[in-house]
Amino acid sequence: MSRSANVDWSRALVLGIESSCDETAVALVRGGREILAHRVASQTDLHRRFGGVVPEQACRAHMQVLLPEIQALLDDQDVRSDDLDGLAVTNRPGLIGALLTGVSAAKALALAWDLPLVGVNHLESHVTAARVAEPDLSPPFVALIASGGHTGMYLVGPGGTYRRLGGTRDDAAGEAFDKAAAVLDLPYPGGPSIERAARKGNSKAFPWKNACLTSDGRDLSFSGIKTAVLYAARGRQAGRNERLTLDNQGVADAAASFQRAVVHALVTRTLQHAEACGVDWVALCGGVAANRALRASLESEAARMGLRIALPHRELCTDNAAMVAARGTELLAAGVRDGLDLGASARDEPGPDGARGP
Ligand code: KG4
Ligand code: ZN
């Protein structure tokens, strides 16, 4: 595709598209770091009554809003297709139908507008959000990626290599927030609901502090605390359909105790791995990184150890397309291109082992 021949990628204007789960997001980013504008059309209202994301519904909603969102983004910024230098789209990992919606639209636009196209790993783009926030962040550093579908700690090396240091053995941290909230009759998505409820609760009311740390000193587990919350909320014999037995204060106490345990586990393990790797920097990435208790705890514990931390703006922790455009610009600048045969993949790890560099 000819348009990319003489592009100065440090000034290039890239359109990002994100549709891996339940957010249809588009963004315009200049030079891989300057966010001109980004829009997120959330499907939260659509999925709330089901208590979680329904893939078929997500797919249909992406199809309905994606092109109008792109049009509105370009119109608002007075940008024409001729002004663009490249197009980046999330193509892995995520809900396959949702991903394919974004990938198909991106391929059609790349063809129609004669733009270089690149598929982006969603997890790597979450890490790029930390680099957008902290331009000084450079490898090697330890990244905690904690989202709704993924929770792992990685050593990010020069050239964008990722070595998995540890992570969840069962549920992702965000998934645990969502499930605990459902058990406590708090609205979907669970992360922000638990955070809100926890403010009025006693975080020591339930003895769960160490419940998410595995005995090997390396990994995390969120399935045990999920059961503990269920028993606390609905009795030991209970299934999820049993009546909630906690009053409002009990729900707040359970939310605060749950949040304390998850935060304690994420911070403990991340800093332990950072210390073992001898890095100076830790990056906090993914939707759960929006959690204020987690941010505050990591900030103070890291400061005590003399570590620097990169925290994306809260708005850029949860799914967005600015991080996709930023990651796409890095790849395009390194000469990575995809053709009209670009596919999507439900599963992937970050880094060249999972996919490709840099
Ligand atoms: O990265 P993300 O937006 O989507 C995925 O890639 O999965 O992460 C979504 C997850 C959800 O599980 C949501 O409950 C959680 O991030 N989350 C939070 C907060 N905001 C979003 N978890 C804890 N506290 C929050 N404030
Ligand atoms: Zn995400």
Side-chain angles (χ1 to χ4, degrees):
M1 295 187 181
S2 52
R3 290 257 309 260
S4 66
N6 295 312
V7 174
D8 170 5
W9 291 103
S10 69
R11 296 292 311 143
L13 188 59
V14 171
L15 170 65
I17 298 177
E18 156 65 40
S19 68
S20 65
C21 191
D22 60 341
E23 253 97 36
T24 318
V26 296
L28 282 171
V29 172
R30 185 169 297 286
R33 293 293 179 266
E34 187 196 341
I35 302 165
L36 298 192
H38 82 109
R39 300 172 63 94
V40 180
S42 175
Q43 301 173 6
T44 301
D45 292 343
L46 178 67
H47 300 295
R48 182 168 285 136
R49 64 198 155 108
F50 302 107
V53 179
V54 182
E56 282 299 317
Q57 303 253 4
C59 202
R60 209 167 308 149
H62 285 309
M63 277 198 278
Q64 280 163 354
V65 304
L66 182 53
L67 292 178
E69 282 295 309
I70 292 173
Q71 192 65 60
L73 177 81
L74 298 181
D75 289 350
D76 282 356
Q77 293 300 307
D78 216 5
V79 164
R80 294 171 315 131
S81 59
D82 279 355
D83 301 325
L84 296 172
D85 297 301
L87 222 157
V89 62
T90 304
N91 77 323
R92 64 194 192 279
L95 301 173
I96 193 71
L99 286 166
L100 283 169
T101 310
V103 169
S104 306
K107 290 198 286 195
L109 293 176
L111 180 67
W113 293 343
D114 188 21
L115 285 172
L117 169 72
V118 69
V120 167
N121 178 307
H122 181 80
L123 302 169
E124 290 172 25
S125 67
H126 271 304
V127 177
T128 302
R131 272 211 287 276
V132 171
E134 277 292 347
D136 287 349
L137 176 69
S138 63
F141 62 89
V142 165
L144 166 64
I145 307 176
S147 68
H150 195 94
T151 295
M153 289 142 296
Y154 299 85
L155 176 62
V156 185
T161 57
Y162 281 74
R163 180 156 72 82
R164 190 174 165 98
L165 303 165
T168 184
R169 292 191 175 169
D170 36 60
D171 293 353
E175 185 183 357
F177 268 99
D178 295 335
K179 287 179 177 167
V183 160
L184 294 171
D185 279 355
L186 296 170
Y188 170 86
S193 299
I194 294 256
E195 181 174 345
R196 216 172 304 119
R199 274 183 221 137
K200 297 187 188 118
N202 171 7
S203 65
K204 296 183 181 154
F206 294 91
W208 299 334
K209 186 177 174 196
N210 293 311
C212 309
L213 291 164
T214 55
S215 56
D216 64 351
R218 179 178 182 271
D219 284 326
L220 303 158
S221 166
F222 300 107
S223 64
I225 198 164
K226 194 176 57 185
T227 311
V229 176
L230 175 67
Y231 287 170
R234 294 165 198 265
R236 281 200 84 77
Q237 311 298 326
R240 265 191 55 184
N241 296 329
E242 214 71 26
R243 273 191 47 235
L244 187 67
T245 54
L246 294 172
D247 59 12
N248 286 347
Q249 188 56 50
V251 167
D253 289 346
S257 302
F258 167 86
Q259 179 173 271
R260 178 185 190 223
V262 176
V263 167
H264 175 62
L266 292 173
V267 171
T268 303
R269 282 288 183 263
T270 303
L271 294 181
Q272 213 174 300
H273 287 301
E275 195 171 31
C277 292
V279 295
D280 297 330
W281 278 97
V282 169
L284 182 57
C285 320
V288 179
N291 185 278
R292 290 179 182 84
L294 174 60
R295 296 165 77 91
S297 171
L298 189 69
E299 247 172 337
S300 68
E301 292 297 310
R304 252 179 1 101
M305 292 168 61
L307 286 167
R308 298 186 69 187
I309 63 167
L311 279 178
H313 190 283
R314 290 186 67 242
E315 187 184 311
L316 297 182
C317 289
T318 45
D319 288 350
N320 66 87
M323 67 186 193
V324 178
R327 177 61 187 146
T329 307
E330 293 174 347
L331 291 164
L332 290 165
V336 182
R337 302 283 183 277
D338 282 302
L340 296 179
D341 57 349
L342 177 66
S345 168
R347 299 195 161 276
D348 200 15
E349 281 283 315
D353 297 338
R356 65 205 167 159

